Amino acid sequence: MPILVFLLDTSASMNQRTYLGTTYLDVAKGAVEIFMKLRARDPASRGDRYMLVTFDEPPYGVKAGWKENHATFMCELKNLQASGLTTLGHALRTAFDLLNLNRLVSGIDNYGQGRNPFFLEPSVIITITDGNKLTNSSGVPDELHLPLNSPLAGSELTKEPFRWDQRLFALVLRLPGAAAPDNEQLGSVPTDESAITQMCEVTGGRSYCVRTQRMLNQCLESLVQKVQSGVVINFEKTGPDPPLGGEDNSVESSRPVSSFNPQPWHSCHKLIYVRPNPKTGVPVGHWPIPESFWPDQNSPTLPPRSAHPVVRFSCVDCEPMVIDKLPFDKYELEPSPLTQYVLERKSPHMCWQVFVSSSGKQNDLGKPFGYLKASTTLTCVNLFVMPYNYPVLLPLLDDLFKVHKLKPNLKWRQAFEMYLKTMPPYYLLPLKKAMRMMGAPNLIADTMDCGLSYSVISYLKKLSQQAKIESDRLIVSVGKKAPQETGIKVKNHSSALSLAHRRDFKQLLQGITGEGPLRLVDINFKEFAGFQIALLNKDVKPQAYRNAYDIPRRNLLDQLTRMRTNLLRTSLKLIRGQDEDFLHSIPVAQMGNYQEYLKMMPSPLREIDPDQPKRLHTFGNPFKQDKKVQKASIDPAAGDRPG
């Protein structure tokens, strides 16, 4: 079930107009709707979950989360307004925290017990922004920084704020405001140069520099293809490069290959596809990817893990190993320079072993847990995940079934015990399950534990409970509106009373100005023939008595008279700060709002005779009565007469 989070920039700069005549925010809203229509073509989109996050201050930035339905999502999207700051770092942290809510409760991260690719919540965060300077309440930062402190419990167990099944993509709108660009670029859309690009690449995603509506549609079609179930892994080469062989490059094979020059395929940061089971719709797997540390029963805490595991591959050709009935996991790699290099070697019957550093007892490369191998048809490269140190285990199991016939001797048992000591303890449970499937259930003692200390186990249970509480709190806060600012807050630095509080303030003011208080009768209203009561923006209420900048220039003289009248209290009005014109100046959108008026009306009087039946008004004549009732009242015995 893919999770699609739309992170929309609602800073004030999104109000700028494009050559299409719409604002950037309108373009962003339209892009979300187009994406959803394109995604709906895929039958797998039925299980999609959509979330909406904006740049508003936490916790008001989450508009649609885990519990909101599609109608709420669309309503919140339609009502978005651009009026804040470009707080991209806080908004990204909010989006990641929203996704990470249930991970500790469900336990899919499996801290300290290996990483299971088949335990995942594939998530795609699509950020739509204008790429302008980042702003916050304290200034204009040059770099993108995500807040380190997170309200979520257990966030310290992972170094990064994201997880390996979460990828960030950014649509950076660069549409011109004057005219459409003449030389529209065809082909691939370039990445943008804004601060979010590096963050996208770290998570396994990318950014798009959008200059026209056509490029935007092209990017949305590309993004729909990116919605895949999988996890991101860092593949890094260890050891020397493979020797060049084959008929075509026999001349070059005599030259030594330098491994000091880094090639693009030496280090790849790519996705492995985790396909769901066609019958159940849920991915199924057996073996984890090992942790980068050996679990210590005496350690009171767990070391923090990186979001993406570093899997090292050795370029030494090996034959792929497999035995009957032993389960293994097979994951296809996303196309990359590594897959291209492996396929170009055209060796589908050879494989490269993969390792995780420090996964064994010694802090070295560790033992192999699988291998990379090209498919037989040379169309893709697959990662096969096997039991830890499978070159030792598989011959043992093969002998158990073929030689010993499930009745092992002492020598075999000693070799098997030695293998179990070199294997990380969190492999015991999947190994027990695999051997039960193969028909050898009682070879591993039940007394062996998972390798974690009691304090770590109790801490993880406590984190799960805290995460559940925090999850409920955050779900309740979704959709709450931020408190509106009533005006500009001015700090009062002096404790002395203002002059306006003095009793002789009017006399002081008259002494300064040299004139008496004006009356409305003495003012010639015809002097300002062009004056009209109107609002530049119907959504913004004027703060004429609070903020002088809300007064249009053409209304300054008239407003000055109003302010003077209000200050000196020359009019006999009960409402301070208003006059006759202001009382009757109502926005058009509120003129038909009778609901508030009806609430203030007194309740109607009761009927004089409550026992009298109410007359139902019918269409046409309100005094018309039902014919059946009328006939029954005239001739009650009509039904008893014989026909």
Side-chain angles (χ1 to χ4, degrees), residues 397-542:
L397 294 180
D398 202 32
D399 289 346
L400 176 67
F401 286 93
K402 293 181 179 178
V403 178
H404 302 290
K405 306 295 183 184
L406 294 177
K407 294 180 180 179
N409 56 17
L410 182 61
K411 184 179 178 182
W412 187 95
R413 287 183 181 276
Q414 289 175 347
F416 188 64
E417 289 291 334
M418 286 296 295
Y419 165 76
L420 292 180
K421 290 179 180 178
T422 62
M423 179 189 72
Y426 47 80
Y427 272 89
L428 282 171
L429 201 60
L431 184 59
K432 278 184 186 178
K433 186 178 178 182
M435 295 187 73
R436 194 182 309 121
M437 292 169 60
M438 297 173 71
N442 300 319
L443 290 174
I444 301 177
D446 294 332
T447 55
M448 303 183 76
D449 55 6
C450 62
L452 296 180
S453 64
Y454 174 76
S455 59
V456 169
I457 295 174
S458 59
Y459 176 65
L460 290 175
K461 288 181 180 179
K462 183 181 177 183
L463 281 183
S464 178
Q465 297 171 356
Q466 291 179 357
K468 185 72 175 71
I469 297 172
E470 186 64 30
S471 169
D472 296 339
R473 187 195 65 78
L474 221 151
I475 287 172
V476 169
S477 68
V478 170
K480 287 187 177 180
K481 303 297 181 184
Q484 297 292 328
E485 292 289 341
T486 56
I488 299 175
K489 297 179 180 178
V490 180
K491 293 182 180 179
N492 187 11
H493 294 285
S494 63
S495 58
L497 288 175
S498 172
L499 288 174
H501 290 86
R502 292 180 54 168
R503 294 182 179 180
D504 57 344
F505 175 67
K506 293 181 181 179
Q507 288 78 7
L508 287 172
L509 192 64
Q510 291 176 15
I512 295 172
T513 57
E515 59 183 16
L518 291 176
R519 294 179 300 172
L520 288 175
V521 184
D522 301 331
I523 301 173
N524 183 14
F525 289 101
K526 294 180 180 180
E527 188 175 353
F528 309 103
F531 172 75
Q532 59 179 359
I533 299 175
L535 297 177
L536 296 176
N537 188 351
K538 295 179 180 179
D539 298 328
V540 180
K541 291 186 177 181

Side-chain angles (χ1 to χ4, degrees), residues 96-158:
F96 286 130
D97 285 347
L98 179 66
L99 289 174
N100 297 333
L101 267 181
N102 296 325
R103 297 184 77 91
L104 270 174
V105 180
S106 60
I108 65 171
D109 282 322
N110 212 29
Y111 287 109
Q113 299 289 292
R115 304 170 187 250
N116 295 308
F118 45 90
F119 287 166
L120 79 165
E121 287 178 346
S123 308
V124 175
I125 302 175
I126 301 173
T127 304
I128 308 179
T129 178
D130 57 0
N132 280 352
K133 283 284 188 181
L134 305 177
T135 54
N136 54 37
S137 56
S138 59
V140 182
D142 295 328
E143 297 178 349
L144 174 61
H145 294 288
L146 271 67
L148 295 177
N149 52 342
S150 171
L152 288 184
S155 58
E156 75 280 357
L157 293 175
T158 307

